[in-house]
Structure formats: structure tokens, C-alpha cells
Amino acid sequence: HDSAPRRSSSSSTAAAAAAGGGGGGGGSGGGHVRYRIDFEKKVLLANFDQRGWTETTSDAEWNFFWASVGTVKQIFNPELGFRLCDDQIVNHFPNHYELTRKDLMVKNIKRYRKDLEKDGHPLAARHADGRYKYLHMFPLTFNL
């Protein structure tokens, strides 16, 4: 890991979120992107610079936050009630492995299908032979 932790000189992101921070205003209307990054990674910094993005240390005024998994867990701690604004994105989200691991994604889709069936939703419709009409796009999955 060729990165070193990086902290802003202002209050922590989680503290700002708890205080109602995390708001946007991040300039998406004018096309200017302000980014935060919680560690030095040369390839990322060069990429952001090449795009003309501006680094910020603000806990609230950013459009893109390249954050470690630990920072994302801290930011989105349910006790803080932090929500992203429409003009903000992060590179991770809490429990991302629920979708990025194929076995867990299939488990969640199966749970979703069962919930749809309980609610009588049209997406849960099946063919006469029992196959799903709409949610059938997943191959057989194994967890070795």
C-alpha cells in the first residue's frame, strides 16, 4: 500500500456529518469538481489534476470523495444520519461486499424476489414451469 493516511486540518468528516454537514453546493452546475481524498495515492492525484478537479479539505464542500473503506464506515455510521447530496459521490459505500461478492449478491437478489412475491409485485411473476419471468438473469453460483 503506497499511501499514507491524510487528514484535513478542519474537524473530521464524521463530526461534520453529525453536525449536519456533508452538504453539497459542490459546483456541479458549473462543471467544476471539488474532491477529497483521505490518503495520498499518486495515480489518483495525477488523474484528478489532469481532469482539472480541485482538491478541498472541507468536510462539506466536495463532489467526489475517494475514501478508504474505514472512512466510509465512519462517515455513514447510522448514528450520525449522514446522507450524500445529489452532487456528491464516494468510491465505496457501506456493506459494498453485499453486491461486489457474487455469492452475496445472489443471496440478496433471492431475498428481493421473495419479498416481491410476498407483496404480489409483477416483477415476481413466474412462467408456468416455475421460472421467473423477469428476475432470472443469474447463473448458478457456488461458494467454494
Side-chain angles (χ1 to χ4, degrees):
H1 209 289
D2 65 333
S3 58
R6 185 167 167 187
R7 301 275 181 220
S8 73
S9 58
S10 60
S11 62
S12 74
T13 303
S28 62
H32 182 75
V33 175
R34 289 184 283 205
Y35 73 90
R36 282 202 61 187
I37 188 166
D38 67 350
F39 55 91
E40 295 281 343
K41 189 82 164 172
K42 290 179 185 179
V43 68
L44 293 173
L45 295 172
N47 212 311
F48 299 160
D49 185 50
Q50 183 178 16
R51 288 169 163 44
W53 294 2
T54 304
E55 183 173 8
T56 182
T57 57
S58 169
D59 289 329
E61 299 296 321
W62 51 268
N63 305 103
F64 184 79
F65 194 161
W66 190 279
S68 66
V69 173
T71 298
V72 169
K73 285 181 182 179
Q74 180 183 3
I75 292 171
F76 294 106
N77 179 334
E79 295 173 6
L80 298 177
F82 178 77
R83 297 286 181 254
L84 292 175
C85 292
D86 290 343
D87 65 345
Q88 292 181 313
I89 58 174
V90 293
N91 62 316
H92 290 290
F93 55 92
N95 298 329
H96 61 89
Y97 51 84
E98 292 284 338
L99 294 177
T100 57
R101 278 188 41 191
K102 188 176 173 185
D103 62 323
L104 294 177
M105 180 179 66
V106 169
K107 178 190 79 166
N108 285 306
I109 294 295
K110 286 179 179 180
R111 183 182 315 140
Y112 177 63
R113 288 192 303 205
K114 286 181 183 180
D115 288 346
L116 290 174
E117 285 178 320
K118 287 178 189 175
D119 295 340
H121 195 283
L123 283 177
R126 294 179 182 244
H127 293 286
D129 64 2
R131 292 179 298 120
Y132 284 97
K133 288 183 179 180
Y134 306 107
L135 297 172
H136 62 283
M137 63 284 214
F138 299 101
L140 186 59
T141 302
F142 299 94
N143 193 5
L144 304 176

